[in-house]
Amino acid sequence: MALKIVKGSIDRMFDKNLQDLVRGIRNHKEDEAKYISTCIDEIKQELKQDNIAVKANAVCKLTYLQMLGYDVSWAAFNIVEVMSSSKFTYKRIGYLAASQCFHESTDVIMLTTNQIRKDLSSPNQYDTGVALTGLSCFVTPDLARDLANDIMTLMSHTKPYIRKKAVLIMYKVFLKYPESLRPAFPRLKEKLEDPDPGVQSAAVNVICELARRNPKNYLSLAPLFFKLMTSSTNNWVLIKIIKLFGALTPLEPRLGKKLIEPLTNLIHSTSAMSLLYECVNTVIAVLISLSSGMPNHSASIQLCVQKLRILIEDSDQNLKYLGLLAMSKILKTHPKSVQSHKDLILQCLDDKDESIRLRALDLLYGMVSKKNLMEIVKKLMLHVDKAEGTTYRDELLTKIIDICSQSNYQYITNFEWYISILVELTRLEGTRHGHLIASQMLDVAIRVKAIRVFAVAQMATLLDNAHLMTGNVQRKGICEVLYAAAWICGEFSEHLDNPMQTLEAMLRPKVATLPGHIQAVYVQNAAKLFATVLKNQEGNTEGTAAQETSQLMIDRLPLFVQSANLEVQERASCILQLVKYIQKLQQKDVEVAEEVIALFAGELNPVAPKAQKKVPIPEGLDLDAWINEPPSESESEDEQPKAIFAKEETKHSRPRHTEVDEKELARRREVRKQEQASNPFYIKASPSSQKVYQEAPGVDHIPVVQIDLSVPLKVPGLPMSDQYVKLEEERRQKDRADKKKKEKKKRKEKRSGRGKKHDSGPESEEDITPAHMVDIVTEEMPENALPSDDDDKDPNDPHKALDIDLDNLVEMAGRRPLADSEKLPVRSHRAAEPLKSPAEDGDAESAASQEPKKKSSKEKREKKKDKDRDRKKSKDEKKKKKHRHEEKGEDLLGSQADEPVVQSEETSEVAAPPASNTAEVSDLDFWLSNAPVPSNTQEAATLPAAVAAPVPETPSGTAPDSEPDEPKDTEPEETDKKSSKHKKKKQKKEKKEEKEKKKKKKHHHHHRHSDGGAEESVQNGTVEEEEEEPLPPMSNYCLLAENSYIKMENDIQGNLQDGSQVVVSVIFENKCDSFLKSMEFNVLDSLNSKLQRAEGSGPHDGLTVPFQLPPVVSNEARFVFTVQSIVMPQKLKGTLTFIVKNEDSSTHEKLDFKLHFTCSSYLITTPCYSDAFAKLLESGDLKCSSVKLEGVIMPFHHLLARICFHHHFSVVERVDSCASMYSRSIQGHHVCLLVKTVSEPVKLEISYNQLLCLKKKKKKKKSVLSDCDLDFSLSVPLPPSLFRQ
Amino acid sequence: MIKSILIFNNHGKPRLIRFYQYFAEEMQQQIIRETFHLVSKRDDNVCNFLEGGSLIGGSDDKLIYRHYATLYFVFCVDSSESELGILDLIQVFVETLDKCFENVCELDLIFHMDKVHYILQEVVMGGMVLETNMNEIVAQVELQNRMEKSEVSPSATLKDHASVLTSNITVFISLVADLRIAAHISDVASDPNRSDVAVDVVETTDQSELSRPSS
């Protein structure tokens, strides 16, 4: 035995550790793979041992091998074993290995949930830290869901080290489990103001990542970030915030105005280049979002450009690069400011650093004008010649084409020059952009009619010299140009000087080496050329020349008939038969030229790229339906000739054959038959096809070896673009001279003759007349083109799921409270499970409302996109926002069918709960409009509307529905034009609704008690109007009991589904440094109220609290009580017992408490609309009573907020210092309340009514009444400090 | 977000790889090769940003790297990170390594890949910057090392005394009739020459403008 142990440890001693492994690998350089495979065998042996140290060592080595590219997933389970070691050393090794090689499809991950949870709650902060770090790398949706709550708890850990890690990892959790975003957000937001700078920075980091993808949801945080920006000294945080602002400003131009000043200050003051750069970047974003031309902003632009120039001139290449990068952003909106630095940018083109050259190229794009285009392109052409490396050269090539073709060839004055540039570019060796040049050639030739003569001549030369290009046959190679050349020569053959020569060039045997799709074009266009040639020859001479041409065709075409490419083959055989037929006719001396030409007659117009997409689908046409039965298996996988020239392809398909008469058709059918007969792929009908093969030239005619010329030859006859530059200058000079002559008398200013050197003033763009009468044909669109087609967003973007409205979480007045379904899954006692919270109508609704919500926000985004350009639209957007919320409100109402209050349908529409974040938005508005910006007037005008003055109305609470017939389902378009009166009305209504809405969600707030800060306060829609002081913080949670170990706070909610149940949420907060466990919660039941216990337990057994509390952690548990009567307040005595565990000892402790059920605990916030409210009052079923309360010294709106918040009422209507309120008990009693301030500061009159459902007994009615009396007499008259019950 | 962090030497040999999104092993190696190919052909006096490694991520991503003596530190980041910020972060990371290893050189990274990982974990977590204050990072790393020492020491005594024991190795060879030992000894004996790569890593150009004032 002893020997075994000794042997074991000696074995271990000689196990390789990581260092030995590395050393070994280094010593076996020649047979590394073999050595490693023996090592892996050893590792496998080690993993089989029981000793965890050996396993950990093995796993550590595996991590190293993983880096070298070895798959170690087979050891996943061992990794989990090591992770679960109790020792930090091994645990760390395990987590490291897991983070390197686990991923979502690793199946053992699901085994780790509990281990990770244990580590997260470990008393050792480094265990927790290591678990968090590991988890951040391999978190899966399941892990995220299961652990979200534990991580949330860690966000309030005592140690900043854990807090910051927990905050950071939340981002990963959000990505994997988007549902956690809403519940976690308040705490995340809280962490923005964490005392520890590291935690703060982490929170900023996370929110910036979130906001980058869905900025609009975070707009409401702008004030907070603004505060941070002006107060923080941490450059990391500043950079992040400034970047975030850059993302937010496009959504809210006023934010930009507010930002400019502090940013400018930072730019002036900071010495950190990184910060300076980000500031400049954001200022640029701001400037882009603002309308240009404001005098004070041109200063900012100048500042930016100036700073950027300094960066670009810096010797540090990094700064130079970034400077150019930022410059290109300015370029988009303020090209003028950048153009003045052209010298600098051209200089950068010569930089030795490729990244910098590329950036400079980007900038050139925006700097060209009619005047300097030729000059700039000339410079680029020089670079093309000099450039080494095809990537850079290709980049240059695309840039040249981009620059020239931008905005519909706006800057090109001389297309002959452009064509010759394109032709010059074809001489590039090894470029991959042949198709780009080709499509440019086609585009220009088709759309610029005047250039066709020239273009055709150039293309003919190209075809003649095609051998120079055919060396590069690869796809997208330069030979693609021949496609364009052949097509242009064919289509516009009437302009050819010597069509015969071109025809010959196109029928050379060498053509057969080109890619199939090019050959096809050759064949087709040879036919077109043939038609032209025929026409010329028939006109001029006796028939012989024409017959020779036909013979040439007949001789050469069989080469193509043999082609392996079906398209070529088909076209060739078709045309071959045609020519043969023509030859026959010619021999009979029939004039055929006219008829042949008719085959290709017809004018071409360019088709817009999107035209096809925009053709409306005719009714009743299902494009997805199969026309025939689907093929059983896929056809041959041969490369289908890809449509490279999609645009051009559509042009070929024009309906020319309309002019072909029937006779022709019959003839063609014949030709087709013959062609099929000669096609080797058809089952032959007759043996006559042999003949065709005999006519074909021998195979040896086809050159097999291509001569690849490494040095491009100068092709004689090809024009040099340079000459055009000179010509152009001369032309311009002449133009100017002419003009001068003409306008001599009119002009005050004399224009000097020519050249820049002599130019007295800069020539303006308009002075440069194009060399040709250029007719840039606009592109055709189909009739009934559908107006919009926006590129769709990537549906797989994980961030899309995080597009969640968070405003209401931030501001109380928001619209969507956290529904129960959105709570993080907490491991909780079974008993609590079935009890859904008393949300209005259950979870179904919130779930339902979530769906349309997301959709509408998407819609909105799209709409917004459309409008992005015109920026006065912030107003529009706001309106739209409102509209969106209205829509949603309707949804909500729709599902509230079982609400007791009867509503006319109109009303429900009209009274649809309001703009989700109107209050919040107006807060933001308020913050934003503080900025003294002159141009703000327009927006400012709309703001007060949101805060419209109260419209006098009867305070009795019987106010009729204000505008029942208003066309409320407003189209988003009806915006600016609305009369101000209309607006006011609407706003007022919204205000009102908002209040109700706000109340509605009040009772949801229990789960975020920690958030009881200022933002928790109830905000009244009319805050700004009256300049009321902000509300004090309120929390539904009140202290239950407290001792030195633990603090308990509770909140009581009625359960709507079950009229006899009440849910008590208790937050347990560990106040000491010890671990609290085995908590048991027990209450002494009364006759009326009983604690629901687990099945099978006696009436005096306690309930175990389903968690343990590490030091300074709080968690929430929920307990359910059954109540018989809800008409009397209750006090229940209870005890909490728990074990306090220290390192060395553990003690049993207990804490007594009294649970107080007030009558308002049984009330449920229920919205009510004024007409229903009026009916209720009219019905006379309500008992009425009133009470005067004195000594209330709080502002009226605070009082209302408090009543709403603590007693679950909702405001139906409020006019000045009078408000009607409504609530409903869990058993369906109505309680109406009229709150009135009678004499100014202190006196308050409350009259209240209550109606019982008819079934209830009279007796009960009364007691409820008295009960309410008690309730309010208890709470309201007390001074505010005690008002919290 | 930081998409990945790669450290490799002048010959493209990986010294540390850390991907914050999943790639299979072959893909990882391919990315390393491609990145090395892109980075290694650049002069030292060109800028430290590179657009578009085609393998990782999209057009949004940038490679930001620094070259220290024999090692390349390459961060692949998306547009939410500040370019200069990441450059500084690399500097902070390398200086931290320097502090933790005392004059760090490539060999430290070769033989203590795990430790380098632990240090990196204190700087970047899950692709997001966790801590930029060097003192804080070093403090946390050392605390954890101390913890490890206190745990491991009892069981590691044997190992620590291995060198002493090797002198008596003949005694044990009879006990452990395993040829592996011989191989092992040869491994141990040929301790590579530490000076072949040792170059002081940090040329402190003191650009650490980002170091946070500890307020």
Side-chain angles (χ1 to χ4, degrees), chain A residues 3 9-20 22-24 26-28 35 42 60 63-64 66-71 87-90 92-93 96 99-100 103 124 126 132-133 136-137 161 164-165 168-169 171-172 197-198 205 209 212-213 233-236 239-240 243 272-274 277-278 316-319 321-322 325 352-353 355 359, chain B residues 1 13-18 20 22 25 28-29 42 45-51 60 62 78-87 89 107 110-114 117-118 121-122 125-126 128-132 136 140 143-145 147-148 151-152 155 158-159 162 165 169 172 175-176 180-181 184 187 190-192 196 207 209-210 212-213 215:
Chain A
L3 190 69
S9 38
I10 287 168
D11 261 351
R12 264 194 51 215
M13 196 182 84
F14 293 109
D15 280 343
K16 290 194 188 82
N17 63 13
L18 177 62
Q19 280 76 32
D20 301 331
V22 175
R23 215 166 277 143
R26 284 163 72 81
N27 288 336
H28 291 79
Y35 179 78
E42 280 170 29
C60 186
T63 313
Y64 184 82
Q66 195 271 344
M67 178 180 79
L68 298 183
Y70 290 85
D71 177 22
K87 283 201 172 150
F88 172 73
T89 318
Y90 305 140
R92 181 154 82 153
I93 293 173
L96 174 62
S99 69
Q100 288 291 73
H103 51 95
N124 179 347
Y126 290 112
L132 283 173
T133 310
S136 73
C137 293
Y161 178 74
K164 73 184 175 195
K165 286 196 167 192
L168 271 192
I169 203 179
Y171 178 64
K172 295 278 177 169
N205 219 330
E209 282 293 339
R212 204 165 67 93
R213 309 299 181 129
T233 50
N234 179 343
N235 281 347
W236 275 100
I239 287 175
K240 282 281 174 191
K243 266 186 168 285
M273 272 301 178
S274 43
Y277 172 68
E278 295 303 339
D316 184 344
Q317 296 285 324
N318 292 331
L319 297 182
Y321 172 88
L322 293 174
L325 196 64
K352 58 189 180 304
D353 189 343
S355 306
R359 287 269 78 86
Chain B
M1 281 274 285
K13 279 233 186 272
R15 293 303 174 216
L16 176 137
I17 55 173
R18 170 82 275 185
Y20 294 104
Y22 173 71
E25 274 77 12
Q28 293 186 352
Q29 295 300 314
R42 293 173 65 85
N45 55 1
V46 301
C47 74
N48 299 33
F49 313 118
L50 257 176
E51 268 150 281
D60 197 28
K62 272 203 184 75
D78 68 14
S79 65
S80 72
E81 300 293 341
S82 147
E83 292 87 348
L84 294 172
I86 293 293
L87 274 183
L89 185 72
L107 280 171
I110 295 172
F111 286 102
H112 303 282
M113 182 206 69
D114 48 345
H117 264 297
Y118 299 143
Q121 281 175 359
E122 297 303 321
M125 183 178 130
M128 281 177 292
V129 180
L130 179 68
E131 183 58 72
T132 50
E136 172 75 15
Q140 295 296 350
L143 274 171
Q144 291 181 50
N145 287 344
M147 215 174 116
E148 180 173 317
E151 274 182 359
V152 179
S155 64
L158 255 184
K159 195 84 190 169
L165 289 172
I169 204 134
F172 294 103
L175 254 177
V176 192
R180 233 172 14 171
I181 286 181
H184 180 73
D187 285 354
S190 57
D191 204 8
D196 59 349
Q207 280 182 326
E209 58 196 29
L210 288 167
R212 167 194 312 145
S215 59

Side-chain angles (χ1 to χ4, degrees), chain B residues 9 15 70-71 104-111 197-198 201:
Chain B
N9 71 0
R15 293 303 174 216
T70 60
L71 290 174
V104 69
C105 70
E106 191 186 342
L107 280 171
D108 292 316
L109 274 77
I110 295 172
F111 286 102
V197 240
V201 169

